[in-house]
Amino acid sequence: MLELVKSGGWLMIPIVACSVMAVAICLERLWSLRASSVTPRGLLLDVLEAYRNNKLNAEQLGRIRETSPLGRIMVAGIKNACHGRDVMKESIEEAASEVIHELGRFLSALGTIAAITPLLGLLGTVIGMIKVFNEIMIQGTGNANVLAGGISEALITTAAGLAVAIPALIFHRFFLRRIDSLVVSMEQQAVKLVETIHGQRELD
């Protein structure tokens, strides 16, 4: 592996750096975007039960807020429940916009890595081919080993760039889809919270 990196030239350095960043982002997002940590099961029922029993003091609300992104949204709504349904919904929407922004953290960087690494690889190949043609100008076409070796080295950067870009693109799309699913789940639970508190719905 080290020999491949060396033979690929200096453009392998940013490609390897991009691969390290992509792996770090993917691992962090896989951990952070777990459904159990974003939308914990049973949180809505626990919050409504505590609300009906008048047990939601400042300390309890703070604890719920820290448990998960869904908890942050629910606490924002509960704090404004006394001001009416519309104000409660607006406060939930404001909190939700912040939460959604945080769920997408680092994904733009991952998408950028997926876009630029093939270009870095192509640039490395172009530079390598320029070197090959320079060798042809100096030595002619009689030395096939030199030409074949130069061409193979030039293609290494393209292969490396694609090897980084393809998984990065797959994970980028995967995370976007997961965020969409989490947002739908949070929206459904927030609606249930608003309608149940204001007596427009009985929770199943």
Side-chain angles (χ1 to χ4, degrees):
M1 181 63 71
L2 184 59
E3 290 300 320
L4 285 175
V5 172
K6 288 181 179 179
S7 62
W10 64 270
L11 275 170
M12 288 295 290
I13 297 175
I15 292 175
V16 171
C18 285
S19 69
V20 173
M21 290 176 59
V23 169
I25 292 171
C26 289
L27 291 176
E28 192 276 337
R29 289 292 86 190
L30 281 171
W31 178 259
S32 299
L33 295 178
R34 291 170 298 139
S36 60
S37 65
V38 178
T39 57
R41 186 185 298 273
L43 179 61
L44 177 60
L45 292 174
D46 294 340
V47 168
L48 285 173
E49 183 179 355
Y51 180 82
R52 288 166 177 167
N53 295 328
N54 295 320
K55 293 182 179 179
L56 288 179
N57 52 33
E59 181 181 352
Q60 181 73 4
L61 288 173
R63 190 157 48 245
I64 294 171
R65 190 179 190 279
E66 296 299 323
T67 57
S68 64
L70 178 60
R72 287 174 55 186
I73 294 173
M74 288 185 174
V75 169
I78 288 171
K79 285 184 175 180
N80 293 278
C82 60
H83 299 299
R85 186 177 187 275
D86 291 338
V87 175
M88 184 179 181
K89 283 187 64 177
E90 288 176 4
S91 61
I92 285 175
E93 290 171 358
E94 291 174 2
S97 64
E98 295 179 5
V99 167
I100 294 170
H101 178 73
E102 291 182 6
L103 291 178
R105 186 174 53 177
F106 304 133
L107 290 191
S108 60
L110 186 61
T112 301
I113 289 171
I116 67 171
T117 46
L119 298 179
L120 289 172
L122 180 60
L123 178 60
T125 297
V126 171
I127 293 174
M129 295 303 294
I130 291 173
K131 291 179 181 179
V132 169
F133 283 112
N134 284 336
E135 289 296 323
I136 292 175
M137 291 176 60
I138 296 171
Q139 301 185 25
T141 59
N143 193 341
N145 289 333
V146 172
L147 297 181
I151 292 171
S152 66
E153 290 178 7
L155 294 175
I156 287 173
T157 52
T158 294
L162 292 174
V164 175
I166 292 171
L169 181 60
I170 291 172
F171 274 102
H172 183 260
R173 297 289 177 85
F174 169 75
F175 290 134
L176 289 178
R177 177 61 180 170
R178 175 169 287 190
I179 289 173
D180 288 342
S181 298
L182 292 171
V183 169
V184 169
S185 177
M186 289 190 292
E187 181 181 355
Q188 290 173 343
Q189 296 195 53
V191 169
K192 289 179 181 178
L193 178 71
V194 173
E195 294 182 349
T196 303
I197 286 179
H198 288 280
Q200 298 171 319
R201 178 176 185 155
E202 290 297 328
L203 191 63
D204 297 334

